Amino acid sequence: MIKIYHNPRCRKSREGLDLLEKSGKDFEVVLYLENVPTPNELQTILKQLGIPAMELVRKNEAIWKEKYKGKTLSENEIINAMVENPKLIERPIVVNGNRAVIGRPLEEINKIV
């Protein structure tokens, strides 16, 4: 089943959700700020995306700039930072089977739906 990691306050995330709704396919919405992915779940998502953890981080968030910017962090430390501060997770993330995309630009979602 298709899964979207969604933040209703984010315009791009809302647009991604709208695209999925219009696709007519079944999908699950994960409000990741409330149901924060575990470190293992994030590791799986990163493998599905085929990217290192740093590429999933929203580096313009104040929490990143205040606590982490300029520090040398391991993959696990970056993942743990996202678990502790889920606002740092880029959105929307759409997972379908063993593949995932970040819906920026929005057209990326079409590649796996």
Side-chain angles (χ1 to χ4, degrees):
M1 173 178 280
I2 299 169
K3 189 181 287 191
I4 181 170
Y5 290 83
H6 176 58
N7 177 350
R9 296 187 67 194
C10 171
R11 181 178 57 86
K12 290 289 185 188
S13 196
R14 290 191 307 269
E15 289 172 359
L17 181 63
D18 186 54
L19 189 149
L20 286 177
E21 288 170 343
K22 289 177 179 172
S23 77
K25 303 203 185 227
D26 289 335
F27 64 92
E28 174 186 353
V29 176
V30 177
L31 299 173
Y32 70 91
L33 294 177
E34 297 170 16
N35 300 308
V36 180
T38 66
N40 285 343
E41 288 172 323
L42 273 180
Q43 286 174 336
T44 299
I45 290 167
L46 288 165
K47 285 180 189 166
Q48 292 167 322
L49 289 167
I51 62 172
M54 187 59 90
E55 289 186 30
L56 192 58
V57 172
R58 295 176 54 82
K59 295 167 200 72
N60 286 328
E61 288 290 334
I63 190 79
W64 180 261
K65 291 177 181 177
E66 292 166 11
K67 291 181 76 174
Y68 305 104
K69 186 178 179 181
K71 295 183 179 178
T72 302
L73 303 170
S74 69
E75 280 286 296
N76 286 338
E77 288 170 326
I78 296 167
I79 289 168
N80 288 332
M82 288 188 281
V83 170
E84 292 169 16
N85 307 283
K87 286 177 77 174
L88 292 176
I89 301 171
E90 187 60 80
R91 63 211 177 228
I93 301 168
V94 178
V95 178
N96 190 359
N98 62 355
R99 295 180 5 180
V101 295
I102 299 171
R104 290 173 177 267
L106 192 61
E107 295 75 27
E108 290 293 308
I109 296 171
N110 290 323
K111 292 180 180 178
I112 66 168
V113 173

